[in-house]
Amino acid sequence: MSPIRVVLAEDGDLLRAGVLALLEGFDDIDVVATATNLPELLAAVDAHRPDVLLTDIRMPPDFTDEGIRAAAELRRTHPGTGVVALTQYSDVEYALDLVREGSDGRGYLLKERVADVDELVAALRTVAAGGSVIDQIVVDALVATGTRRHDSLLDRLTPRELEVLSMVARGMTNGAIAHDLVVTDRAVEKHINSILTKLDLPADSPVHRRVAATLVFLSEAGVGGGVTGGASRPR
């Protein structure tokens, strides 16, 4: 099997060198080019046609949302290239923007995940295969706040449905949810189907309905708060 071809875009010299060194230990990962700003990033993707772009969100020239803008452009120009965005800001708006046109081949991780190279590589493999990854700390921090907007879509849900949705947002399987709630798998399926219907998530949504439900939960639970990455991971 051919290795996963990666373009790494990161303006920080130390972090870029560190990521390169970590990824060299994996035979199925091949970093074919690096970039330090948005123009270099786009040129590298054009030249190398990677399987995945691993990119910082904030980089030159403006240090705003270059990585997210690149992901949106690549969705149109290089639809076969996945994107894993790295940030030190657990800002839900970025995660929502990253997958707004579809969650397939998109990942969002906090930079601290770089220290856990196995998790970073797992994200690259998932995204290269067309899957999606949303950092668990972002999910957990918002779940922990227990707050949501006035007139939220989540107000349509029963307390049990809201509890099930928070578990879905944490990445739990139906079986794990059933075990924790001491109910049957069939009961969990009924709750999830009800949740998806109440949240007006159509079957033909470009975002997988389970991922879309998670994004609704995230956005309604605390968009704009800029949550710091200090929550624990329940896995």
Side-chain angles (χ1 to χ4, degrees), residues 15 17-29 31 54 84 86 109-126 233:
L15 181 58
V19 173
L20 279 171
L22 289 171
L23 295 181
E24 283 179 354
F26 292 83
D27 293 338
D28 64 334
I29 303 294
V31 179
L54 176 60
V84 174
L86 296 173
L109 296 177
L110 299 184
K111 281 188 175 180
E112 63 194 70
R113 291 295 188 228
V114 171
D116 186 346
V117 66
D118 289 333
E119 187 157 355
L120 174 61
V121 170
L124 292 174
R125 290 168 179 159
T126 296
R233 300 179 64 244

PDB file of all heavy atoms in Angstrom, residues 15 17-29 31 54 84 86 109-126 233:
ATOM      1  N   LEU A  15       7.943  23.937  15.826  1.00  0.00           N
ATOM      2  CA  LEU A  15       6.842  22.975  15.736  1.00  0.00           C
ATOM      3  C   LEU A  15       6.895  22.215  14.422  1.00  0.00           C
ATOM      4  O   LEU A  15       6.683  20.999  14.389  1.00  0.00           O
ATOM      5  CB  LEU A  15       5.499  23.695  15.871  1.00  0.00           C
ATOM      6  CG  LEU A  15       4.262  22.796  15.817  1.00  0.00           C
ATOM      7  CD1 LEU A  15       4.320  21.729  16.905  1.00  0.00           C
ATOM      8  CD2 LEU A  15       2.991  23.621  15.943  1.00  0.00           C
ATOM      9  N   ALA A  17       9.517  21.494  12.591  1.00  0.00           N
ATOM     10  CA  ALA A  17      10.601  20.508  12.659  1.00  0.00           C
ATOM     11  C   ALA A  17      10.214  19.345  13.568  1.00  0.00           C
ATOM     12  O   ALA A  17      10.523  18.183  13.271  1.00  0.00           O
ATOM     13  CB  ALA A  17      11.878  21.172  13.161  1.00  0.00           C
ATOM     14  N   GLY A  18       9.520  19.642  14.668  1.00  0.00           N
ATOM     15  CA  GLY A  18       9.118  18.592  15.583  1.00  0.00           C
ATOM     16  C   GLY A  18       8.115  17.633  14.953  1.00  0.00           C
ATOM     17  O   GLY A  18       8.226  16.409  15.117  1.00  0.00           O
ATOM     18  N   VAL A  19       7.142  18.173  14.240  1.00  0.00           N
ATOM     19  CA  VAL A  19       6.146  17.321  13.575  1.00  0.00           C
ATOM     20  C   VAL A  19       6.812  16.459  12.514  1.00  0.00           C
ATOM     21  O   VAL A  19       6.527  15.258  12.393  1.00  0.00           O
ATOM     22  CB  VAL A  19       5.023  18.176  12.953  1.00  0.00           C
ATOM     23  CG1 VAL A  19       4.090  17.306  12.118  1.00  0.00           C
ATOM     24  CG2 VAL A  19       4.232  18.877  14.039  1.00  0.00           C
ATOM     25  N   LEU A  20       7.706  17.061  11.751  1.00  0.00           N
ATOM     26  CA  LEU A  20       8.437  16.297  10.733  1.00  0.00           C
ATOM     27  C   LEU A  20       9.188  15.129  11.362  1.00  0.00           C
ATOM     28  O   LEU A  20       9.150  13.999  10.854  1.00  0.00           O
ATOM     29  CB  LEU A  20       9.415  17.210   9.995  1.00  0.00           C
ATOM     30  CG  LEU A  20       8.850  18.083   8.872  1.00  0.00           C
ATOM     31  CD1 LEU A  20       9.899  19.081   8.394  1.00  0.00           C
ATOM     32  CD2 LEU A  20       8.387  17.209   7.713  1.00  0.00           C
ATOM     33  N   ALA A  21       9.870  15.400  12.458  1.00  0.00           N
ATOM     34  CA  ALA A  21      10.650  14.349  13.117  1.00  0.00           C
ATOM     35  C   ALA A  21       9.736  13.235  13.632  1.00  0.00           C
ATOM     36  O   ALA A  21      10.070  12.046  13.512  1.00  0.00           O
ATOM     37  CB  ALA A  21      11.461  14.950  14.261  1.00  0.00           C
ATOM     38  N   LEU A  22       8.593  13.598  14.183  1.00  0.00           N
ATOM     39  CA  LEU A  22       7.669  12.598  14.706  1.00  0.00           C
ATOM     40  C   LEU A  22       7.093  11.723  13.596  1.00  0.00           C
ATOM     41  O   LEU A  22       6.992  10.505  13.736  1.00  0.00           O
ATOM     42  CB  LEU A  22       6.531  13.287  15.465  1.00  0.00           C
ATOM     43  CG  LEU A  22       6.907  13.921  16.808  1.00  0.00           C
ATOM     44  CD1 LEU A  22       5.742  14.755  17.329  1.00  0.00           C
ATOM     45  CD2 LEU A  22       7.293  12.862  17.829  1.00  0.00           C
ATOM     46  N   LEU A  23       6.723  12.353  12.496  1.00  0.00           N
ATOM     47  CA  LEU A  23       6.079  11.610  11.407  1.00  0.00           C
ATOM     48  C   LEU A  23       7.051  10.712  10.655  1.00  0.00           C
ATOM     49  O   LEU A  23       6.633   9.761   9.993  1.00  0.00           O
ATOM     50  CB  LEU A  23       5.392  12.576  10.442  1.00  0.00           C
ATOM     51  CG  LEU A  23       4.211  13.362  11.019  1.00  0.00           C
ATOM     52  CD1 LEU A  23       3.602  14.273   9.950  1.00  0.00           C
ATOM     53  CD2 LEU A  23       3.148  12.427  11.592  1.00  0.00           C
ATOM     54  N   GLU A  24       8.356  11.015  10.751  1.00  0.00           N
ATOM     55  CA  GLU A  24       9.348  10.184  10.072  1.00  0.00           C
ATOM     56  C   GLU A  24       9.353   8.755  10.602  1.00  0.00           C
ATOM     57  O   GLU A  24       9.826   7.836   9.925  1.00  0.00           O
ATOM     58  CB  GLU A  24      10.743  10.792  10.233  1.00  0.00           C
ATOM     59  CG  GLU A  24      10.988  11.996   9.327  1.00  0.00           C
ATOM     60  CD  GLU A  24      12.376  12.584   9.545  1.00  0.00           C
ATOM     61  OE1 GLU A  24      13.081  12.102  10.481  1.00  0.00           O
ATOM     62  OE2 GLU A  24      12.744  13.514   8.808  1.00  0.00           O
ATOM     63  N   GLY A  25       8.813   8.545  11.798  1.00  0.00           N
ATOM     64  CA  GLY A  25       8.818   7.215  12.381  1.00  0.00           C
ATOM     65  C   GLY A  25       7.710   6.303  11.870  1.00  0.00           C
ATOM     66  O   GLY A  25       7.626   5.151  12.301  1.00  0.00           O
ATOM     67  N   PHE A  26       6.895   6.785  10.932  1.00  0.00           N
ATOM     68  CA  PHE A  26       5.770   6.002  10.426  1.00  0.00           C
ATOM     69  C   PHE A  26       5.954   5.733   8.937  1.00  0.00           C
ATOM     70  O   PHE A  26       6.001   6.656   8.125  1.00  0.00           O
ATOM     71  CB  PHE A  26       4.453   6.744  10.669  1.00  0.00           C
ATOM     72  CG  PHE A  26       4.096   6.856  12.126  1.00  0.00           C
ATOM     73  CD1 PHE A  26       4.649   7.874  12.910  1.00  0.00           C
ATOM     74  CD2 PHE A  26       3.253   5.938  12.720  1.00  0.00           C
ATOM     75  CE1 PHE A  26       4.345   7.973  14.256  1.00  0.00           C
ATOM     76  CE2 PHE A  26       2.937   6.026  14.073  1.00  0.00           C
ATOM     77  CZ  PHE A  26       3.489   7.044  14.839  1.00  0.00           C
ATOM     78  N   ASP A  27       6.047   4.447   8.596  1.00  0.00           N
ATOM     79  CA  ASP A  27       6.301   4.065   7.209  1.00  0.00           C
ATOM     80  C   ASP A  27       5.158   4.437   6.271  1.00  0.00           C
ATOM     81  O   ASP A  27       5.385   4.593   5.068  1.00  0.00           O
ATOM     82  CB  ASP A  27       6.541   2.550   7.117  1.00  0.00           C
ATOM     83  CG  ASP A  27       7.829   2.130   7.800  1.00  0.00           C
ATOM     84  OD1 ASP A  27       8.728   2.990   7.964  1.00  0.00           O
ATOM     85  OD2 ASP A  27       7.936   0.945   8.187  1.00  0.00           O
ATOM     86  N   ASP A  28       3.949   4.569   6.815  1.00  0.00           N
ATOM     87  CA  ASP A  28       2.811   4.857   5.934  1.00  0.00           C
ATOM     88  C   ASP A  28       2.510   6.343   5.817  1.00  0.00           C
ATOM     89  O   ASP A  28       1.492   6.744   5.254  1.00  0.00           O
ATOM     90  CB  ASP A  28       1.554   4.123   6.420  1.00  0.00           C
ATOM     91  CG  ASP A  28       1.082   4.578   7.797  1.00  0.00           C
ATOM     92  OD1 ASP A  28       1.935   5.057   8.580  1.00  0.00           O
ATOM     93  OD2 ASP A  28      -0.129   4.467   8.077  1.00  0.00           O
ATOM     94  N   ILE A  29       3.400   7.200   6.354  1.00  0.00           N
ATOM     95  CA  ILE A  29       3.246   8.655   6.245  1.00  0.00           C
ATOM     96  C   ILE A  29       4.452   9.232   5.519  1.00  0.00           C
ATOM     97  O   ILE A  29       5.602   8.984   5.905  1.00  0.00           O
ATOM     98  CB  ILE A  29       3.116   9.323   7.629  1.00  0.00           C
ATOM     99  CG1 ILE A  29       1.952   8.731   8.421  1.00  0.00           C
ATOM    100  CG2 ILE A  29       2.963  10.832   7.471  1.00  0.00           C
ATOM    101  CD1 ILE A  29       0.585   8.997   7.852  1.00  0.00           C
ATOM    102  N   VAL A  31       5.787  12.917   4.267  1.00  0.00           N
ATOM    103  CA  VAL A  31       5.634  14.373   4.149  1.00  0.00           C
ATOM    104  C   VAL A  31       6.376  14.820   2.892  1.00  0.00           C
ATOM    105  O   VAL A  31       7.602  14.811   2.844  1.00  0.00           O
ATOM    106  CB  VAL A  31       6.186  15.099   5.395  1.00  0.00           C
ATOM    107  CG1 VAL A  31       6.030  16.620   5.225  1.00  0.00           C
ATOM    108  CG2 VAL A  31       5.462  14.627   6.654  1.00  0.00           C
ATOM    109  N   LEU A  54      -1.869  18.878   6.354  1.00  0.00           N
ATOM    110  CA  LEU A  54      -1.825  19.087   7.800  1.00  0.00           C
ATOM    111  C   LEU A  54      -1.411  20.534   8.012  1.00  0.00           C
ATOM    112  O   LEU A  54      -0.276  20.906   7.709  1.00  0.00           O
ATOM    113  CB  LEU A  54      -0.815  18.127   8.442  1.00  0.00           C
ATOM    114  CG  LEU A  54      -0.579  18.266   9.949  1.00  0.00           C
ATOM    115  CD1 LEU A  54      -1.862  18.053  10.732  1.00  0.00           C
ATOM    116  CD2 LEU A  54       0.508  17.292  10.404  1.00  0.00           C
ATOM    117  N   VAL A  84      -6.391  18.244   7.771  1.00  0.00           N
ATOM    118  CA  VAL A  84      -6.389  18.209   9.231  1.00  0.00           C
ATOM    119  C   VAL A  84      -5.866  19.568   9.693  1.00  0.00           C
ATOM    120  O   VAL A  84      -4.728  19.929   9.410  1.00  0.00           O
ATOM    121  CB  VAL A  84      -5.501  17.081   9.787  1.00  0.00           C
ATOM    122  CG1 VAL A  84      -5.412  17.191  11.312  1.00  0.00           C
ATOM    123  CG2 VAL A  84      -6.047  15.718   9.386  1.00  0.00           C
ATOM    124  N   LEU A  86      -4.806  22.274  12.580  1.00  0.00           N
ATOM    125  CA  LEU A  86      -4.276  22.347  13.937  1.00  0.00           C
ATOM    126  C   LEU A  86      -4.443  23.758  14.486  1.00  0.00           C
ATOM    127  O   LEU A  86      -4.190  24.735  13.781  1.00  0.00           O
ATOM    128  CB  LEU A  86      -2.785  21.997  13.952  1.00  0.00           C
ATOM    129  CG  LEU A  86      -2.389  20.583  13.552  1.00  0.00           C
ATOM    130  CD1 LEU A  86      -0.869  20.488  13.465  1.00  0.00           C
ATOM    131  CD2 LEU A  86      -2.930  19.559  14.548  1.00  0.00           C
ATOM    132  N   LEU A 109      -7.900  19.416  15.145  1.00  0.00           N
ATOM    133  CA  LEU A 109      -7.190  18.998  16.356  1.00  0.00           C
ATOM    134  C   LEU A 109      -6.517  20.186  17.025  1.00  0.00           C
ATOM    135  O   LEU A 109      -6.055  21.121  16.346  1.00  0.00           O
ATOM    136  CB  LEU A 109      -6.101  17.969  16.018  1.00  0.00           C
ATOM    137  CG  LEU A 109      -6.524  16.617  15.438  1.00  0.00           C
ATOM    138  CD1 LEU A 109      -5.283  15.800  15.130  1.00  0.00           C
ATOM    139  CD2 LEU A 109      -7.429  15.864  16.396  1.00  0.00           C
ATOM    140  N   LEU A 110      -6.446  20.143  18.347  1.00  0.00           N
ATOM    141  CA  LEU A 110      -5.645  21.125  19.066  1.00  0.00           C
ATOM    142  C   LEU A 110      -4.165  20.797  18.892  1.00  0.00           C
ATOM    143  O   LEU A 110      -3.789  19.639  18.765  1.00  0.00           O
ATOM    144  CB  LEU A 110      -6.005  21.125  20.547  1.00  0.00           C
ATOM    145  CG  LEU A 110      -7.452  21.486  20.890  1.00  0.00           C
ATOM    146  CD1 LEU A 110      -7.621  21.535  22.398  1.00  0.00           C
ATOM    147  CD2 LEU A 110      -7.859  22.793  20.256  1.00  0.00           C
ATOM    148  N   LYS A 111      -3.340  21.841  18.909  1.00  0.00           N
ATOM    149  CA  LYS A 111      -1.913  21.635  18.680  1.00  0.00           C
ATOM    150  C   LYS A 111      -1.278  20.722  19.719  1.00  0.00           C
ATOM    151  O   LYS A 111      -0.283  20.057  19.434  1.00  0.00           O
ATOM    152  CB  LYS A 111      -1.182  22.982  18.651  1.00  0.00           C
ATOM    153  CG  LYS A 111      -1.315  23.720  17.332  1.00  0.00           C
ATOM    154  CD  LYS A 111      -0.422  24.947  17.303  1.00  0.00           C
ATOM    155  CE  LYS A 111      -0.465  25.619  15.950  1.00  0.00           C
ATOM    156  NZ  LYS A 111       0.404  26.814  15.897  1.00  0.00           N
ATOM    157  N   GLU A 112      -1.846  20.693  20.920  1.00  0.00           N
ATOM    158  CA  GLU A 112      -1.264  19.832  21.943  1.00  0.00           C
ATOM    159  C   GLU A 112      -1.332  18.365  21.561  1.00  0.00           C
ATOM    160  O   GLU A 112      -0.646  17.519  22.126  1.00  0.00           O
ATOM    161  CB  GLU A 112      -1.963  20.063  23.276  1.00  0.00           C
ATOM    162  CG  GLU A 112      -3.433  19.715  23.289  1.00  0.00           C
ATOM    163  CD  GLU A 112      -4.131  20.279  24.516  1.00  0.00           C
ATOM    164  OE1 GLU A 112      -4.297  21.505  24.604  1.00  0.00           O
ATOM    165  OE2 GLU A 112      -4.491  19.477  25.387  1.00  0.00           O
ATOM    166  N   ARG A 113      -2.173  18.029  20.560  1.00  0.00           N
ATOM    167  CA  ARG A 113      -2.270  16.648  20.101  1.00  0.00           C
ATOM    168  C   ARG A 113      -0.991  16.210  19.386  1.00  0.00           C
ATOM    169  O   ARG A 113      -0.739  15.018  19.243  1.00  0.00           O
ATOM    170  CB  ARG A 113      -3.447  16.496  19.134  1.00  0.00           C
ATOM    171  CG  ARG A 113      -4.796  16.651  19.790  1.00  0.00           C
ATOM    172  CD  ARG A 113      -5.016  15.527  20.776  1.00  0.00           C
ATOM    173  NE  ARG A 113      -6.377  15.562  21.260  1.00  0.00           N
ATOM    174  CZ  ARG A 113      -6.712  15.483  22.523  1.00  0.00           C
ATOM    175  NH1 ARG A 113      -5.780  15.367  23.440  1.00  0.00           N
ATOM    176  NH2 ARG A 113      -7.974  15.499  22.882  1.00  0.00           N
ATOM    177  N   VAL A 114      -0.194  17.172  18.924  1.00  0.00           N
ATOM    178  CA  VAL A 114       1.044  16.823  18.234  1.00  0.00           C
ATOM    179  C   VAL A 114       1.941  15.994  19.143  1.00  0.00           C
ATOM    180  O   VAL A 114       2.673  15.118  18.688  1.00  0.00           O
ATOM    181  CB  VAL A 114       1.763  18.104  17.756  1.00  0.00           C
ATOM    182  CG1 VAL A 114       3.156  17.774  17.232  1.00  0.00           C
ATOM    183  CG2 VAL A 114       0.937  18.785  16.660  1.00  0.00           C
ATOM    184  N   ALA A 115       1.866  16.251  20.442  1.00  0.00           N
ATOM    185  CA  ALA A 115       2.692  15.486  21.383  1.00  0.00           C
ATOM    186  C   ALA A 115       2.266  14.026  21.431  1.00  0.00           C
ATOM    187  O   ALA A 115       3.067  13.152  21.764  1.00  0.00           O
ATOM    188  CB  ALA A 115       2.599  16.105  22.775  1.00  0.00           C
ATOM    189  N   ASP A 116       1.008  13.750  21.102  1.00  0.00           N
ATOM    190  CA  ASP A 116       0.515  12.379  21.045  1.00  0.00           C
ATOM    191  C   ASP A 116       0.535  11.957  19.579  1.00  0.00           C
ATOM    192  O   ASP A 116      -0.460  12.035  18.881  1.00  0.00           O
ATOM    193  CB  ASP A 116      -0.900  12.293  21.619  1.00  0.00           C
ATOM    194  CG  ASP A 116      -1.411  10.858  21.722  1.00  0.00           C
ATOM    195  OD1 ASP A 116      -0.788   9.962  21.117  1.00  0.00           O
ATOM    196  OD2 ASP A 116      -2.426  10.635  22.387  1.00  0.00           O
ATOM    197  N   VAL A 117       1.698  11.540  19.111  1.00  0.00           N
ATOM    198  CA  VAL A 117       1.881  11.297  17.690  1.00  0.00           C
ATOM    199  C   VAL A 117       0.962  10.194  17.180  1.00  0.00           C
ATOM    200  O   VAL A 117       0.509  10.239  16.027  1.00  0.00           O
ATOM    201  CB  VAL A 117       3.356  10.990  17.367  1.00  0.00           C
ATOM    202  CG1 VAL A 117       3.794   9.687  17.999  1.00  0.00           C
ATOM    203  CG2 VAL A 117       3.588  10.981  15.860  1.00  0.00           C
ATOM    204  N   ASP A 118       0.653   9.207  18.015  1.00  0.00           N
ATOM    205  CA  ASP A 118      -0.250   8.140  17.573  1.00  0.00           C
ATOM    206  C   ASP A 118      -1.632   8.698  17.256  1.00  0.00           C
ATOM    207  O   ASP A 118      -2.270   8.277  16.294  1.00  0.00           O
ATOM    208  CB  ASP A 118      -0.353   7.052  18.647  1.00  0.00           C
ATOM    209  CG  ASP A 118       0.923   6.235  18.772  1.00  0.00           C
ATOM    210  OD1 ASP A 118       1.656   6.142  17.777  1.00  0.00           O
ATOM    211  OD2 ASP A 118       1.179   5.703  19.866  1.00  0.00           O
ATOM    212  N   GLU A 119      -2.097   9.640  18.076  1.00  0.00           N
ATOM    213  CA  GLU A 119      -3.410  10.246  17.820  1.00  0.00           C
ATOM    214  C   GLU A 119      -3.370  11.113  16.566  1.00  0.00           C
ATOM    215  O   GLU A 119      -4.310  11.128  15.769  1.00  0.00           O
ATOM    216  CB  GLU A 119      -3.856  11.069  19.019  1.00  0.00           C
ATOM    217  CG  GLU A 119      -5.283  11.583  18.881  1.00  0.00           C
ATOM    218  CD  GLU A 119      -5.925  11.907  20.219  1.00  0.00           C
ATOM    219  OE1 GLU A 119      -5.301  11.644  21.272  1.00  0.00           O
ATOM    220  OE2 GLU A 119      -7.052  12.410  20.197  1.00  0.00           O
ATOM    221  N   LEU A 120      -2.276  11.848  16.375  1.00  0.00           N
ATOM    222  CA  LEU A 120      -2.133  12.674  15.180  1.00  0.00           C
ATOM    223  C   LEU A 120      -2.120  11.803  13.927  1.00  0.00           C
ATOM    224  O   LEU A 120      -2.812  12.104  12.943  1.00  0.00           O
ATOM    225  CB  LEU A 120      -0.837  13.491  15.272  1.00  0.00           C
ATOM    226  CG  LEU A 120      -0.475  14.312  14.027  1.00  0.00           C
ATOM    227  CD1 LEU A 120      -1.554  15.344  13.712  1.00  0.00           C
ATOM    228  CD2 LEU A 120       0.873  14.998  14.221  1.00  0.00           C
ATOM    229  N   VAL A 121      -1.349  10.732  13.958  1.00  0.00           N
ATOM    230  CA  VAL A 121      -1.272   9.839  12.797  1.00  0.00           C
ATOM    231  C   VAL A 121      -2.616   9.157  12.550  1.00  0.00           C
ATOM    232  O   VAL A 121      -3.037   8.980  11.395  1.00  0.00           O
ATOM    233  CB  VAL A 121      -0.140   8.808  12.977  1.00  0.00           C
ATOM    234  CG1 VAL A 121      -0.204   7.727  11.913  1.00  0.00           C
ATOM    235  CG2 VAL A 121       1.216   9.511  12.928  1.00  0.00           C
ATOM    236  N   ALA A 122      -3.305   8.791  13.617  1.00  0.00           N
ATOM    237  CA  ALA A 122      -4.631   8.192  13.461  1.00  0.00           C
ATOM    238  C   ALA A 122      -5.575   9.160  12.763  1.00  0.00           C
ATOM    239  O   ALA A 122      -6.379   8.760  11.904  1.00  0.00           O
ATOM    240  CB  ALA A 122      -5.201   7.784  14.818  1.00  0.00           C
ATOM    241  N   ALA A 123      -5.470  10.446  13.095  1.00  0.00           N
ATOM    242  CA  ALA A 123      -6.307  11.460  12.433  1.00  0.00           C
ATOM    243  C   ALA A 123      -5.954  11.580  10.953  1.00  0.00           C
ATOM    244  O   ALA A 123      -6.840  11.678  10.102  1.00  0.00           O
ATOM    245  CB  ALA A 123      -6.142  12.811  13.126  1.00  0.00           C
ATOM    246  N   LEU A 124      -4.658  11.551  10.639  1.00  0.00           N
ATOM    247  CA  LEU A 124      -4.235  11.629   9.240  1.00  0.00           C
ATOM    248  C   LEU A 124      -4.769  10.432   8.457  1.00  0.00           C
ATOM    249  O   LEU A 124      -5.257  10.581   7.326  1.00  0.00           O
ATOM    250  CB  LEU A 124      -2.711  11.670   9.151  1.00  0.00           C
ATOM    251  CG  LEU A 124      -2.023  12.936   9.674  1.00  0.00           C
ATOM    252  CD1 LEU A 124      -0.507  12.764   9.661  1.00  0.00           C
ATOM    253  CD2 LEU A 124      -2.423  14.154   8.834  1.00  0.00           C
ATOM    254  N   ARG A 125      -4.698   9.253   9.053  1.00  0.00           N
ATOM    255  CA  ARG A 125      -5.190   8.046   8.377  1.00  0.00           C
ATOM    256  C   ARG A 125      -6.699   8.116   8.165  1.00  0.00           C
ATOM    257  O   ARG A 125      -7.206   7.762   7.096  1.00  0.00           O
ATOM    258  CB  ARG A 125      -4.825   6.813   9.191  1.00  0.00           C
ATOM    259  CG  ARG A 125      -3.334   6.497   9.204  1.00  0.00           C
ATOM    260  CD  ARG A 125      -3.009   5.452  10.263  1.00  0.00           C
ATOM    261  NE  ARG A 125      -1.583   5.111  10.285  1.00  0.00           N
ATOM    262  CZ  ARG A 125      -0.962   4.567  11.318  1.00  0.00           C
ATOM    263  NH1 ARG A 125      -1.650   4.309  12.432  1.00  0.00           N
ATOM    264  NH2 ARG A 125       0.324   4.286  11.262  1.00  0.00           N
ATOM    265  N   THR A 126      -7.414   8.577   9.191  1.00  0.00           N
ATOM    266  CA  THR A 126      -8.874   8.673   9.087  1.00  0.00           C
ATOM    267  C   THR A 126      -9.282   9.650   7.996  1.00  0.00           C
ATOM    268  O   THR A 126     -10.152   9.357   7.163  1.00  0.00           O
ATOM    269  CB  THR A 126      -9.472   9.117  10.431  1.00  0.00           C
ATOM    270  OG1 THR A 126      -9.207   8.117  11.417  1.00  0.00           O
ATOM    271  CG2 THR A 126     -10.983   9.314  10.326  1.00  0.00           C
ATOM    272  N   ARG A 233     -10.546  13.956  28.956  1.00  0.00           N
ATOM    273  CA  ARG A 233     -11.060  13.119  27.881  1.00  0.00           C
ATOM    274  C   ARG A 233     -11.603  11.835  28.482  1.00  0.00           C
ATOM    275  O   ARG A 233     -10.867  11.102  29.127  1.00  0.00           O
ATOM    276  CB  ARG A 233      -9.947  12.788  26.867  1.00  0.00           C
ATOM    277  CG  ARG A 233      -9.365  14.023  26.221  1.00  0.00           C
ATOM    278  CD  ARG A 233      -8.254  13.655  25.242  1.00  0.00           C
ATOM    279  NE  ARG A 233      -8.774  12.866  24.140  1.00  0.00           N
ATOM    280  CZ  ARG A 233      -8.419  11.632  23.899  1.00  0.00           C
ATOM    281  NH1 ARG A 233      -7.593  11.003  24.684  1.00  0.00           N
ATOM    282  NH2 ARG A 233      -8.910  10.988  22.863  1.00  0.00           N
TER     283      ARG A 233
END
